[in-house]
Amino acid sequence: MPQNNWQELEQKLFLKTFNRTPVTLVRGQGVWVWDDQGRQYLDLVGGWAVNSLGHCPPAIVEALEKQAKTLIQTSNQFYTIPQIELAQLLIQNSCLDRVFFCNSGAEANEGAVKLARRYGKLHLNGAYEIITTHSSFHGRTLAMTSATGQGKLQEPYMPLPSGFVNVDYNNIKALRRATTARTCGVMLEPIQGEGGVNVPNDSYLKEVEGWCHKEEILFILDEIQTGIGRTGTLFAYEQYGVEPDIMTLAKGLGSGVPIGAFLAKEHASVFVPGEHGSTFGGNPLACTAACATVKYIIANDIPGKVKQVGKYFIAKLESLKQQFNFINQVRGRGLLIALEFNDEIAKEIATTCLSKGLLVNIVKPNALRFMPPLIITEKEVDEAVDILESVLSQQKSKEEELRWIKQC
Ligand SMILES: Cc1ncc(COP(=O)(O)O)c(C=O)c1O
């Protein structure tokens, strides 16, 4: 049966969880994707900060092809080589000492929280509470919904698992006030992604780390969105002069193949056999994709390139801000960038961008987020900004027309 009514079928068959853009993507190459009508788009969504090396990167495709013909899955009852190689790569290139592999970001954070709770039981008189922040995002499981400091995501599922305290982000005093004898750790994003690309003050993470050391509690960084080169260093913590006790990864780690990980310093690595596990976590196929990704990113200094092209992109957006007074702010680091408007026009802007062949993410009703593949070039940024400029000009004319009508 020929099927070209994919979007209708989706409406009929799926639980209604996603507000999807009305485009059915069938193919991708580099920073470009194509829909089932043959239309081409410049992709600044990048699989929600996942397609670090672009769509179908040859280095990953080749490695996957070879591994798929060799060994796909064995269970963690046995040793397998790709996961050990990946562990070595991550540990040699970070401040952490040990790793656990899983399949997604939420799962990585769940594991990190379980590890912190074990630490609390063993070393902090049974302390179990984790402090997290408002506007954070840590995943969709029940516990991570509780960790995620956004009322609108929590409210539908009340009562949520206890053991999480949400405080203001970028506010060390709030964090100090929330710390009690029950606290075993603090979990933060170095830059809040889903919350709107919120970049903290330069001193915030250092102050949090200092507080955690003083209180002898664990400093946990959720680098699921910021890690693997996204912000201009392999891990965002490097830019803030801090070292987490536990760090979580997912998204860009496997270039689109699902994989998550949490890493811990030796003193925090308190699990014993049987206390945590996963059926698919660390399977040879996903670990091969992640190994090839991390190797490519390091060998080609992708973080250095991200820093450069990210600065270029931000400068271009700043010049749009000079041109359009309904832009409120440009913020971000590397290739995790938000463009915030004075009004809730993000959806309108994104829809017009789509009609002109540009894919963007609506991170808030008044803000767009750009998280393109890390391999995007300045020329491709120019193409994206040209489209944005024409969309914003259209918006400006619309607003002027409305103002004129109101005046009449
Ligand atoms: C910082 C952060 N943590 C955790 C998650 C959850 O990851 P996943 O959707 O893979 O479970 C996300 C996803 O957007 C994220 O941005």
Side-chain angles (χ1 to χ4, degrees), residues 88-328:
Q88 249 178 341
L89 255 181
L90 292 175
I91 285 159
Q92 281 166 1
N93 290 287
S94 73
C95 64
L96 289 311
D97 301 308
R98 289 180 183 273
V99 67
F100 180 92
F101 292 120
C102 52
N103 311 286
S104 69
E107 234 185 286
N109 284 338
E110 287 271 346
V113 166
K114 282 175 76 178
L115 186 61
R117 283 200 179 191
R118 281 305 292 146
Y119 184 88
K121 238 188 188 108
L122 294 166
H123 299 302
L124 301 170
N125 298 316
Y128 60 91
E129 247 173 34
I130 308 277
I131 302 175
T132 62
T133 58
H134 295 143
S135 302
S136 62
F137 188 81
H138 298 295
R140 300 272 184 182
T141 58
L142 276 178
M144 287 311 110
T145 300
S146 201
T148 291
Q150 299 194 45
K152 69 173 192 292
L153 299 179
Q154 295 181 332
E155 194 277 327
Y157 304 104
M158 299 281 192
L160 288 169
S162 58
F164 297 93
V165 178
N166 309 143
V167 302
D168 281 349
Y169 188 62
N170 201 20
N171 183 337
I172 187 68
K173 283 190 189 142
L175 200 144
R176 285 190 190 131
R177 273 197 303 272
T179 308
T180 68
R182 293 187 300 276
T183 312
C184 67
V186 173
M187 182 161 79
L188 299 171
E189 293 157 86
I191 293 171
Q192 290 184 329
E194 305 296 310
V197 188
N198 304 317
V199 184
N201 295 341
D202 284 345
S203 59
Y204 176 62
L205 289 185
K206 192 79 194 157
E207 286 167 347
V208 176
E209 182 195 51
W211 178 248
C212 290
H213 286 174
K214 182 177 165 297
E215 295 293 303
E216 298 180 342
I217 57 179
L218 296 173
F219 175 43
I220 307 167
L221 283 182
D222 174 342
E223 291 241 19
I224 284 162
Q225 189 155 151
T226 54
I228 316 296
R230 172 66 47 193
T231 68
T233 43
L234 191 57
F235 306 107
Y237 74 74
E238 297 166 44
Q239 295 173 47
Y240 292 95
V242 298
E243 290 194 358
D245 298 307
I246 302 177
M247 172 174 74
T248 57
L249 299 173
K251 287 200 182 275
L253 180 56
S255 283
V257 177
I259 181 165
F262 59 97
L263 295 98
K265 289 220 175 199
E266 194 61 50
H267 73 276
S269 299
V270 293
F271 280 153
V272 296
E275 283 183 346
H276 197 55
S278 171
T279 296
F280 295 118
N283 70 75
L285 196 69
C287 287
T288 295
C291 256
T293 304
V294 178
K295 275 186 194 159
Y296 188 97
I297 283 180
I298 294 172
N300 293 281
D301 186 26
I302 297 294
K305 292 180 179 143
V306 166
K307 203 176 269 176
Q308 211 178 313
V309 80
K311 270 195 189 136
Y312 181 79
F313 197 172
I314 287 176
K316 287 235 142 190
L317 293 172
E318 285 289 357
S319 70
L320 289 183
K321 181 171 177 278
Q322 297 307 314
Q323 219 176 314
F324 301 102
N325 61 7
F326 54 87
I327 296 178
N328 178 42

Side-chain angles (χ1 to χ4, degrees), residues 6-84:
W6 301 113
Q7 292 173 30
E8 257 169 60
L9 274 174
E10 195 269 359
Q11 292 289 315
K12 202 163 99 189
L13 300 175
F14 283 64
L15 286 166
K16 295 179 177 171
T17 56
F18 297 111
N19 253 329
R20 298 187 205 254
T21 301
V23 171
T24 306
L25 297 178
V26 293
R27 189 164 69 84
Q29 198 65 56
V31 296
W32 301 93
V33 284
W34 286 262
D35 71 10
D36 60 347
Q37 309 298 310
R39 279 188 296 248
Q40 184 178 344
Y41 303 87
L42 179 48
D43 181 11
L44 299 189
V45 179
W48 289 338
V50 164
N51 305 111
S52 19
L53 301 181
H55 294 276
C56 302
I60 311 305
V61 172
E62 253 169 55
L64 278 172
E65 261 175 1
K66 197 162 154 224
Q67 188 60 43
K69 287 182 186 153
T70 310
L71 190 65
I72 293 179
Q73 156 75 351
T74 63
S75 90
N76 282 303
Q77 188 176 328
F78 306 100
Y79 296 88
T80 51
I81 297 166
Q83 68 169 236
I84 298 171

Side-chain angles (χ1 to χ4, degrees), residues 367-394:
L368 297 177
R369 179 176 41 164
F370 309 121
M371 43 194 161
L374 306 180
I375 47 124
I376 193 169
T377 61
E378 291 184 358
K379 187 170 165 280
E380 287 157 341
V381 167
D382 287 343
E383 287 183 54
V385 173
D386 284 350
I387 297 176
L388 259 176
E389 186 177 7
S390 82
V391 172
L392 296 170
S393 299
Q394 234 171 286

